[in-house]
Amino acid sequence: DDIIIDCALTFDLPLLGICQGMQSMAIYKSNRNTIKIGDASHHLSKEKRHLVILKQGRLRNIVNTDKILVNSYHYETVEKSNIFEVTGYSEDGLIEVVENKNHPFQIGLQWHPERMLEDEIGKKIIKGFINTIKDAN
C-alpha cells in the first residue's frame, strides 16, 4: 500500500483509497495500525446505509453537500490520520474520509462508492476520480 501512496504523492497522481485503502492513507508514514471497532455497527448489508458528515474539502465540493448516506463493510478503523487531512466522520465519530487538500483528487473513503452507482453520490465520486485522471493526461 505504501508504494502506491508513495507514487501518487511523488508524481502528483490522482488517488482513490477505498475501505482498507483509506485506512492505509490515514496511517501512511506513521507507526499506527488499524484498530478493531468492537462490534458490527459498520459492517452493514448493501441495503443499509449510515450518515457521514463532511467538513470543507474536495469531496464535499465534488458531492455538493455536507451529509451523505454511505454503505459500510468494515470491522476496523483508524484513530487519526498522519499526512492526509480528516474531512469526514460517521455520526458515531469514526473517520470516514481523508484527503490531500493540495491535490485535485487524493481522497480516501471508508466506504465503497463503486457499490453505490445507483445513486448520485457514488456516481459523482467515481466520475470525479475519472475526470481528474483524464485532466492529468
Side-chain angles (χ1 to χ4, degrees), residues 1 5 16-26 98 108-110:
D1 293 340
I5 299 168
L16 176 58
I18 295 174
C19 200
Q20 187 178 359
M22 187 281 307
Q23 294 170 5
S24 295
M25 289 172 71
V98 298
L109 310 172
Q110 186 59 75

Side-chain angles (χ1 to χ4, degrees), residues 18-135:
I18 295 174
C19 200
Q20 187 178 359
M22 187 281 307
Q23 294 170 5
S24 295
M25 289 172 71
I27 62 175
Y28 174 73
K29 297 290 184 193
S30 76
N31 59 359
R32 288 186 213 93
N33 291 308
T34 58
I35 55 172
K36 297 227 182 284
I37 294 172
D39 60 32
S41 63
H42 284 265
H43 191 79
L44 307 172
S45 69
K46 182 179 180 183
E47 296 79 31
K48 297 216 176 176
R49 305 269 173 111
H50 70 82
L51 190 66
V52 169
I53 297 119
L54 301 174
K55 292 170 39 179
Q56 189 58 49
R58 303 226 184 258
L59 182 63
R60 185 169 160 177
N61 293 341
I62 290 167
V63 298
N64 199 30
T65 186
D66 62 351
K67 293 178 184 162
I68 57 176
L69 285 173
V70 302
N71 56 36
S72 191
Y73 299 97
H74 60 105
Y75 289 107
E76 295 182 322
T77 188
V78 292
E79 290 182 301
K80 56 187 184 174
S81 183
N82 189 39
I83 291 175
F84 296 92
E85 183 174 346
V86 177
T87 59
Y89 294 91
S90 62
E91 286 183 291
D92 57 355
L94 296 184
I95 294 171
E96 294 276 344
V97 183
V98 298
E99 58 184 80
N100 178 352
K101 285 193 168 182
N102 297 318
H103 190 278
F105 204 113
Q106 288 183 344
I107 299 172
L109 310 172
Q110 186 59 75
W111 68 91
H112 289 263
E114 79 283 6
R115 294 182 181 175
M116 294 175 52
L117 297 179
E118 73 282 356
D119 70 31
E120 287 305 307
I121 296 299
K123 287 179 190 174
K124 285 179 179 181
I125 293 168
I126 299 299
K127 284 181 181 178
F129 182 57
I130 290 169
N131 288 338
T132 303
I133 292 169
K134 287 180 182 177
D135 291 345

